[in-house]
Amino acid sequence: MQIIRKLDELNEFLAPVWADDNDLLAYVPTMGALHSGHVSLIHKAKEVAQKIIVSIFVNPLQFGPNEDLDSYPRSIDEDIIKLWAAEIDYLYIPELTEVELESLTKINADREISKILCGKSRSGHFDGVCTIVNHFFKTIKPDFAVFGEKDFQQVKIIEQMILEQAFNITLIPAPIFREASGLAMSSRNSYLDDQEKTQAAFIYESILKEKQLLEDLLFPPQEEQILNSINTIKEKLSNAGFRVDYVEFHWSRIFVAAYLGNTRLIDNIEIVT
Ligand code: PAF
């Protein structure tokens, strides 16, 4: 695994890959604090490409002023060990100065998709995501990019950005990777102690309990009952000590964002499979 910190090194290492039509390049963008969910993205990348590149960059542009940029988990040494074990080819860890945030081309996330769900409570978040991903797509020039479906709205927004910016990149969505308890894996789970982790698994459990009912209510759509079912999930979460940001139905999925203490957790489950 080559560890790359500078743009000119990136160009040097990737030039032969870009030049060889038999060497397809798959890219897994991350903000580090890697867990088994990230490793599952790497496995997905290996299904489609010969060369795998992972980036680690905690992107200040996607954090709001009162969000957790400063406390966001950083574990670069452990991350490097995990990536060695996952046998990737390149790890790109640019310094903050290397990326020059102020001079990046600003990309606005799709207006329709970014005004719902997390876009409502995290103003500017998806513009920050698109701006950095656009930058990395332009510098890394991958054939594929793998994004986890835990951030399903992000997947939709990046798909749209790929179309709008005419990137020749195929987005590969990867299913949510869960703890045995059902808790969706996330770097932010490191904010939770063991008891909170057990409690956090209730998000998945509460959606799963309504899944069958919701499936039955969809064809033909029975809007009032669907709303009741969504309200049931909200109520259960509130009663279990969560501060619910949203429970909503989009793209045939139920989406939940809820705070456990100061930790914002998100999850989603496909209702129509
Ligand atoms: O999903 C993430 O970890 C981030 O939003 C991403 C795609 C690495 C951009 O900073």
Side-chain angles (χ1 to χ4, degrees), residues 132-264:
I132 202 71
V133 172
N134 176 68
H135 169 70
F136 285 135
F137 278 0
K138 284 212 156 110
T139 46
I140 292 172
K141 302 186 198 70
D143 300 291
F144 300 95
V146 185
F147 286 81
E149 288 185 337
K150 188 175 79 65
D151 298 298
F152 195 86
Q153 186 177 12
Q154 174 171 273
V155 169
K156 288 290 173 199
I157 284 172
I158 299 295
E159 269 172 355
Q160 192 57 32
M161 187 190 84
I162 288 176
L163 287 178
E164 281 167 14
Q165 302 299 319
F167 281 113
N168 191 13
I169 297 173
T170 305
L171 187 151
I172 313 273
I176 297 179
F177 206 75
R178 297 182 182 280
E179 307 274 359
S181 65
L183 174 64
M185 288 205 185
S186 160
S187 303
R188 288 192 169 95
N189 291 351
S190 67
Y191 296 145
L192 306 173
D193 63 27
D194 286 347
Q195 196 211 320
E196 288 171 323
K197 276 191 187 140
T198 310
Q199 205 182 338
F202 188 66
I203 295 182
Y204 179 63
E205 195 187 313
S206 61
I207 321 176
L208 213 53
K209 282 237 168 78
E210 292 296 306
K211 180 178 154 77
Q212 185 57 55
L213 175 62
L214 279 162
E215 256 172 28
D216 297 342
L217 293 173
L218 279 180
F219 302 108
Q222 297 164 55
E223 280 179 26
E224 208 180 308
Q225 279 98 324
I226 294 174
L227 272 180
N228 286 343
S229 174
I230 284 177
N231 284 334
T232 304
I233 300 174
K234 279 188 193 164
E235 239 170 70
K236 282 185 181 169
L237 287 171
S238 300
N239 293 341
F242 292 88
R243 184 159 55 85
V244 177
D245 183 357
Y246 59 71
V247 179
E248 288 181 30
F249 184 74
H250 301 274
W251 301 295
S252 305
R253 284 171 184 254
I254 287 289
F255 291 82
V256 174
Y259 288 86
L260 189 55
N262 291 326
T263 306
R264 189 172 185 278

Side-chain angles (χ1 to χ4, degrees), residues 27-32 38 55 57-59 62-63 72 125-126 128-130 132-133 136 146-148 151 154 158 187:
Y27 170 43
V28 182
T30 82
M31 298 206 298
H38 292 110
S55 65
F57 182 71
V58 182
N59 170 30
Q62 68 190 75
F63 289 80
Y72 193 83
H125 166 70
F126 288 115
V129 170
C130 284
I132 202 71
V133 172
F136 285 135
V146 185
F147 286 81
D151 298 298
Q154 174 171 273
I158 299 295
S187 303

